[in-house]
Amino acid sequence: MRASPLLLAVLCHVSGQAHGRFEVPFGNGWRFHFGDDPAGPGSGPNECGFEDATGAACSGDVEENPFRFTEQDCMMSCCYDENCRFWTWLHTRCLHGGRATSCVPSNGTEVGGFRATAPPFIRDFSFAQKGFDDSKWTQVATPHDYSINQTYANDPADPWHGFLPRNTSWYRKHFHVPDAWRGQEVYLLFEGARQYTEVYVNGEWVQDHASGYTEFTVRLDNVSSLAYGEGVENVVAVRTDGTYGSGHWYEGGGIYRDVRIIAVNASAHFTHGGVYVNPESDGRSVLLSAEVESSSTALRGNVTVTVELSEHNGTVLASGVLGVYTIDPAAPPAVLTYTWSSGLPRLQNWTLQNPHTYVATFRLGDPGQPWSDTVRVVTGFRTTRFGAKFALGGVPLQLQGFSHHTSFAGVGAVSNPRLNLFRVQTSKAVGANFWRCSHNPYEQHLYEILAYTGVLAWDENRDFGVEYQGEMQTLVKTHRNHAPIVLWSYCNEEDCEKISQTSAAAFRRIADDLDPLRATTANNEYPSNIDFEYLDVVGFTHAPNSTFETSHADYPGVPLLLSECCPCSENRMDSRTFTDCIRETNQPGTFSYVGGSTGVWTLMDYFGESVKWPFVASAFGQFDIGGFPKAHAWWYRINWLAKVPATSPSRPLISGVAYVARVLNTWTEPMGRVNGSVSTLRAAMYYDGAAQPTAAADVNGFVSWPAPPGSVTNVTIAAVSTTGEILASHSLFKPKPTLRLQLVIDVPSVSTGTGTNLYLDGRDMALIRAQVVDSDGVVDSSATGNVTFSVAGSGRLVGLGSAPDSHLHQQGRVMGLYGGLIRAVAMVTLDCTSPNLDLALAIDSDHAPLEYAVSCPPSPAGVTIEASSDSYGTASVTVPVSSDPSDHPFAVARANANLRTYTYMDDIVS
């Protein structure tokens, strides 16, 4: 719909003189078209200008692009590179050739293409034109992944990306620019769009962006046709080419991360990512800097740059002056640095057990006058040192953690703070104190959640090579304030092979220039493709004991990490047992001269890399694609958590969990051997309350008993002390024949440490567990059939997920049971809490599918999810909602840093 008279009045209300910085939500009211512009000539593979060069022998400036795992990825990444003249691909290996490449016919088996010149980019798309009729396009809110709801298809040429078709699609958004912003610098901030993004404003091409993982800004105020005021509408059109990527996993498609519109004072403002508080501090002094620039000649003179440090409750602890900036639009951005020691109170150190964070507020302008610009960052202060073991605040730690990919049931590549809080709390519940961002930068909100909950992080660049220095620069500059990050990683595995020394030297300079005290690393194969002189820490991927023994003998002073390991795959309803794979592949991380096992592959399953049809999700996770635990999760809960002393500085901040006992089986007929896991040396077993002989647990904590008699209806395992005292127990019951559908709120929930209410910010997310239970609430893991879902109240159904080989639409209304369970994802549709919603209402021409309100209703309706099944009846549950700031996921993360109430794993039966 178009702007109403009320909204025009709001525009007039905010049309006075603008001061300072305005960040406004820009995710609502997008119009979406699945597929490329049929009227435009396109920019796909038939328009890249390649002649067939299959089997050709080429020479010149040819180099590897090893992170292109399919022919399509190899070709399209060359297509969009105007300097690329040649590509060839064979068995996941990709080569690109530059302007000096020449080719002659040969008898090789590689497929490829050659072009003497790169054709010009196509810019005259009809979809980009301001007057194009998009009234029948689908209205969506970003973040939005357009690939996840497509139809699965077996494609032998591409087994990596979840068997979902990849394509090019378009977004358009109609908007107004407040008249008060005239003369200001106005830009869009995209946190991520997949893969090659072209942005047009009012039909005029403005900018391209070639990475799906780095955030980027798009300047609007210097677009000649940009109109200001309530009477004139602008249109931004975004073409996202997701037909290719750089990952060998499901990467999603479209504008899959947040978008904001930002206005700053053009005469003087902080650059994007320009304010810096170095977390490397013992609390006595702090290094700060601020990068300031001017893009307008409207004002001249000097402005003061100040900083204020406060607690989250607003208590100001100290303030200081960084310096004075002289306004000069002809000069490059100026960086003002300041070492803050005088007047600074002794600050609390950020540790795993006390993840204390502060708010630093940078201001540009003179006190008593309207601030020209204000930027706030959350940070913490700690000292780090990598040696034989990593030391945090001078205390040696044993690092242990998981690698991750972002996709999840029902939502694909889209994430949000509540979902990531669930992931972080679940990683702590299985003993992790470390989070590896594999193989790319993540959303800003994740690092803030890690800071609040006390989890260290490895932050990883995606594309490695001298031509990708901009990506590394964006990563470091925009993430360097986050205290949990202790390592910058250049690359992952095969990616590290690309001109390793030249690239590593360039990436090292970027890290040292922008963040001089944080360590650098890479997830290397052995032998390392990167010289150790460019790495502070050497990470090895999937390496046996001998790799570390040899490396340590040759380079005894080089810190080592087992940075990726342990792909001990199983689907949730597989064998339900432990194998030696987990212990043996983790073993190098326990060596006295290795910092730890920091990248177990992976915490949760993800779409793609299943490799074999009909499976569309991987099986590497300790939890499945819907976040339900597998048997392997209990290995980590026992060995990484329960067996770690409560006083250990390496233990994540989680109370209790001194002892663990778990029956690993699900109930089957007939019941085979009963498998269990305990954190003690011995275990007891009871069949219908009758004691069986106790058994010794193996080194993994695994224990097993013969199959019980057919008449048995429950089995109980107990972790027992050396004197026979029961320290923990768990029972598995045979389901009764009368079954019903039940819905359980897993997020937000006390049981997952994720709060109790959804926050009315238009994007908060609930995870609902649909399960089939008997009259006593016992889950029947053998239950099958489809369940239909709907959502009412202040929310919408986002998606559904279950089995790793399910081919039902992830964002439909129907999903099949797997192990008696289905994951449903719902999201709030009302936003009455985000800042500057009055501006958002005035800026957006369309106000759907989200509802913006400048004030929250006194008693907002909750989000009601209903499920029905022909076999198991109907069930419903309502997730409460709130506008109280204490229910914001960040506030919940701070309040639940000590994970006292996590019972989620104990609650899940299958």
Side-chain angles (χ1 to χ4, degrees), residues 439-478:
H439 303 297
N440 49 264
Y442 281 45
E443 299 94 331
Q444 290 282 358
H445 67 253
L446 169 66
Y447 303 95
E448 198 160 334
I449 289 170
L450 293 172
Y452 295 143
T453 53
V455 179
L456 297 159
W458 158 310
D459 208 3
E460 192 157 280
N461 174 68
R462 176 70 208 118
D463 297 326
F464 185 58
V466 291
E467 68 269 43
Y468 299 115
Q469 293 179 67
E471 292 187 27
M472 182 67 176
Q473 185 174 39
T474 298
L475 166 70
V476 177
K477 189 173 184 178
T478 58

Side-chain angles (χ1 to χ4, degrees), residues 422-437:
F422 168 65
R423 286 174 164 137
V424 172
Q425 300 289 50
T426 297
S427 75
K428 290 173 63 175
V430 288
N433 58 26
F434 197 91
W435 182 288
R436 178 177 170 229
C437 295

Side-chain angles (χ1 to χ4, degrees), residues 221 297 302 369 419 443 656 660-661 668 810:
D221 60 285
T297 58
N302 298 325
Q369 301 297 321
L419 175 56
E443 299 94 331
V660 170
T668 58
Q810 290 284 313

